[in-house]
Amino acid sequence: MRQAFLITAYKDFDWIEKTVDIYTSGGIDCYIHMDKKTRMPKEFMDWAARKEGVFLYSRYRINWGSYKHISAVLYLIKEALKNGQYDYFHIISGNSFITRPIGEVAAFFEKTPNANYIQMDDLDEIDVDHAIDPWFIYYHFLHWYDKKTEFGNNFDYYFLKVQSRLGIRRKLRFRYHGLFYSHLSRAFIDYALEFVEKNPGYLRQLKTCNIGEEFFFHNMIMDSPYKDTVKNTSLFYNKWSPGGVAQFLTEEDYDILMKGHYLFARKFGEGSEELVEHICRSFPQ
């Protein structure tokens, strides 16, 4: 089985080189999209150019939560299909890492070649107060402003207030919501690309949602012939803050990673060095 990692990133070039070297050592090809806002060092581009199994792109400017992240992943999928007949696609972030040896990770998916691992919640069941509804009933233009800045966050907040006061409310409903990072079979990938081509309004609706990526694959697959192939579980370990923000991992998370069913984890960054070394030491030499 040929597998591809689709990696979206915007910084930490040394980290990406280190992790991708490990992935490709196990025969996994890596398609990397670097945020177009990022200035890539020449050394990094030279590394990608000479590294077998690595394909580097920088096509989209991606603000946090904007639909451009979906666009970047779709672009990587299409580029991967130009280069090879992959059987499985893994959507991961640049600050992710495996928690098991790469050969063990690849073997796991070879045992379930038709499964699609997508973590999702049924909003009809868990969101009885409709707290998520403002994400899609109101317009968000996150591709125009950065919600992570004070200006962007304030603008988004007051723009929603204005829409609410004026009675603007889209007749739009997404039932399923979850993590964008997922592991998808070739059969569903082919279906997804055809679906987007035949239904341009679907992506157009998500374009003005808040974090539209967290509805994209989920609602598509649950209204498709591939519904029964869904494994509704996250193979990623995430440590969430009380406010629902993913926290950086440290050495104290090691036991959880090793004892759980996780194959991947995020986020790694400053302060994660000891944990990374501990994970790597656990891999067979």
Side-chain angles (χ1 to χ4, degrees), residues 25-281:
S25 72
I28 304 292
D29 288 347
C30 295
Y31 291 79
I32 307 168
H33 183 278
M34 294 298 302
D35 192 327
K36 199 169 183 178
K37 298 192 300 292
T38 302
R39 183 180 180 88
M40 290 188 288
K42 183 178 183 302
E43 295 78 10
F44 180 75
M45 293 188 289
D46 290 344
W47 163 82
R50 66 175 182 268
K51 182 71 177 177
E52 185 175 357
V54 173
F55 306 88
L56 177 64
Y57 308 92
S58 182
R59 185 179 179 90
Y60 297 97
R61 299 173 65 89
I62 305 174
N63 288 338
W64 182 89
S66 82
Y67 82 99
K68 291 295 185 70
H69 195 197
I70 302 174
S71 299
V73 168
L74 289 175
Y75 181 77
L76 292 180
I77 290 171
K78 293 174 183 178
E79 289 299 305
L81 291 176
K82 290 179 184 178
N83 291 333
Q85 294 299 313
Y86 297 101
D87 304 292
Y88 227 97
F89 297 78
H90 306 269
I91 302 170
I92 67 175
S93 65
N95 56 16
S96 302
F97 191 43
I98 52 177
T99 63
R100 301 292 187 272
I102 189 61
E104 187 176 324
V105 172
F108 175 89
F109 296 98
E110 290 178 356
K111 295 175 183 177
T112 57
N114 299 313
N116 292 283
Y117 293 86
I118 309 178
Q119 180 275 326
M120 68 179 78
D121 294 315
D122 184 338
L123 297 180
D124 285 353
E125 295 180 358
I126 72 159
D127 191 28
V128 294
D129 295 328
H130 299 282
I132 298 294
D133 283 12
W135 291 30
F136 47 76
I137 64 173
Y138 297 128
Y139 292 93
H140 304 258
F141 296 98
L142 302 184
H143 51 293
W144 288 352
Y145 53 86
D146 186 352
K147 195 175 176 181
K148 286 293 187 180
T149 65
E150 182 178 1
F151 168 81
N153 187 58
N154 287 337
F155 179 87
D156 195 69
Y157 175 80
Y158 287 109
F159 186 45
L160 265 61
K161 289 287 188 183
V162 169
Q163 292 180 69
S164 177
R165 183 68 62 88
L166 295 176
I168 297 173
R169 185 183 179 95
R170 292 197 285 181
K171 294 180 179 179
L172 184 61
R173 172 71 176 166
F174 292 107
R175 178 174 174 179
Y176 299 98
H177 167 259
L179 294 176
F180 188 49
Y181 303 111
S182 49
H183 315 275
L184 307 174
S185 68
R186 170 62 185 272
F188 175 63
I189 285 292
D190 288 341
Y191 173 86
L193 292 178
E194 184 177 2
F195 180 89
V196 170
E197 183 176 352
K198 290 183 176 180
N199 301 276
Y202 184 68
L203 187 55
R204 191 161 53 244
Q205 290 174 333
L206 291 168
K207 182 177 180 178
T208 48
C209 287
N210 181 54
I211 321 180
E213 66 193 48
E214 296 187 356
F215 305 104
F216 179 66
F217 286 122
H218 316 71
N219 291 275
M220 183 193 303
I221 198 169
M222 294 303 287
D223 191 32
S224 81
Y226 296 93
K227 177 179 179 178
D228 293 336
T229 69
V230 172
K231 303 291 186 183
N232 186 5
T233 182
S234 176
L235 300 176
F236 270 90
Y237 172 72
N238 292 277
K239 182 168 64 175
W240 303 103
S241 72
V245 177
Q247 301 294 288
F248 284 105
L249 305 180
T250 64
E251 173 64 14
E252 68 182 21
D253 298 298
Y254 179 80
D255 288 342
I256 298 176
L257 296 181
M258 294 301 108
K259 292 176 181 177
H261 65 281
Y262 311 105
L263 298 178
F264 301 84
R266 60 181 286 268
K267 304 178 344 183
F268 291 86
E270 187 176 351
S272 303
E273 296 85 355
E274 188 176 353
L275 174 60
V276 172
E277 293 303 320
H278 200 168
I279 292 173
C280 289
R281 288 197 304 271

